[in-house]
Amino acid sequence: MDHLIAPSILSADFGNLQRDLEMVNHSEADWVHVDVMDGVFVSNITFGFPVIKAVQKHALKPLDVHLMIVDPDRYLKDFAQVGAANITVHYEACTHLHRTLHTIKDLGCKAGVALNPHTPVALLEDIVADIDMVIIMSVNPGFGGQKFIHNTYKKIKELRQLAEYTNPNLLIEIDGGVDESNAAKLVETGANVLVAGNSVFSSADPLAAIQSLKHSRSLHQA
Ligand code: DX5
Ligand code: ZN
């Protein structure tokens, strides 16, 4: 499978969100990554349902909703209703992760689990078969434009190994500090989805930035 690109609208121009979403529509991107932050799980606050509804109206690609919120169970239905295709909750925010994931699936969405940089992949051993995708955070969640954490490569390898028999189709998504310099190596290591905020929206040519992430291949893969 070719890897997928999910531009994160956290770094878009909110005054021109429709314009930026149309750029994504015309690009080689596969999903639109939507970061929801509650000011509690992470210190930042982003946006809620009315904004996501507006995003859904203009986006032609599936919405990949990343919930950086405590007690996400309270809102799963609402996120499905405003158009989320994928809903990812944080491992660190869920007491009953198995139930949460199955609620997401019952709502007709793909169910994801995100791991903070300090959370070991091994903690997913007894739940990995129930997960559609794992977001390995390659920065501490909360803000765009941070520096990529190198230990991510090790986590990708460990997760691929962990899922080898029970969930070979597991999608591994990398979120934070992804750019042209690390995209090829991430894919080569086993990532299937690359989220990119700053490296797309701060680029002078966002379409080209997406294209280059989509076609990143390491030399011996070409
Ligand atoms: C960070 C968010 C990311 C963020 C990535 O908390 O989950 O999705 O938008 O942004 P960049 O690509 O700028 O690191
Ligand atoms: Zn995110």
Side-chain angles (χ1 to χ4, degrees):
M1 183 191 108
D2 252 8
H3 65 278
L4 308 179
I5 304 299
S8 166
I9 55 164
L10 185 62
S11 296
D13 176 353
F14 291 127
N16 289 289
L17 203 45
Q18 181 177 352
R19 182 201 65 192
D20 283 1
L21 287 166
E22 279 164 7
M23 180 283 291
V24 175
N25 289 344
H26 290 110
S27 76
E28 291 189 54
D30 300 277
W31 295 346
V32 176
H33 188 79
V34 178
D35 287 306
V36 179
M37 305 186 188
D38 65 354
V40 181
F41 183 73
V42 290
S43 56
N44 200 5
I45 298 178
T46 54
F47 39 72
F49 307 115
V51 174
I52 300 177
K53 220 172 160 175
V55 169
Q56 207 256 340
K57 209 173 122 199
H58 297 290
L60 296 177
K61 314 208 174 182
L63 301 189
D64 181 40
V65 176
H66 175 194
L67 299 182
M68 285 158 275
I69 66 175
V70 296
D71 203 2
D73 301 81
R74 290 171 64 196
Y75 300 109
L76 296 175
K77 202 168 158 214
D78 304 85
F79 284 111
Q81 263 166 7
V82 294
N86 312 331
I87 299 180
T88 295
V89 295
H90 262 264
Y91 178 88
E92 303 82 8
C94 294
T95 314
H96 302 287
L97 187 57
H98 182 273
R99 184 162 62 205
T100 303
L101 293 173
H102 285 280
T103 305
I104 295 172
K105 289 182 173 181
D106 290 346
L107 289 164
C109 302
K110 271 198 170 61
V113 177
L115 300 179
N116 276 337
H118 74 276
T119 303
V121 156
L123 289 172
L124 297 180
E125 184 179 348
D126 291 303
I127 193 74
V128 73
D130 299 273
I131 307 177
D132 292 313
M133 57 197 201
V134 172
I135 296 185
I136 297 181
M137 292 306 301
S138 38
V139 298
N140 286 293
F143 300 92
Q146 301 182 79
K147 196 172 167 289
F148 179 82
I149 297 172
H150 198 265
N151 189 52
T152 304
Y153 296 114
K154 169 180 162 270
K155 292 178 84 170
I156 298 173
K157 280 186 211 149
E158 288 171 352
L159 180 55
R160 209 31 99 198
Q161 228 166 26
L162 186 75
E164 191 180 354
Y165 298 111
T166 50
N167 192 351
N169 297 322
L170 178 76
L171 293 175
I172 301 182
E173 180 168 345
I174 308 303
D175 188 5
V178 173
D179 60 24
E180 253 183 73
S181 73
N182 50 28
K185 188 169 171 192
L186 287 167
V187 172
E188 187 185 3
T189 310
N192 309 103
V193 187
L194 303 179
V195 175
N198 189 55
S199 66
V200 165
F201 289 100
S202 301
S203 158
D205 188 345
L207 280 174
I210 292 171
Q211 187 181 35
S212 128
L213 290 172
K214 181 74 185 173
H215 295 280
S216 24
R217 295 269 184 288
S218 67
L219 289 173
H220 48 276
Q221 258 189 327

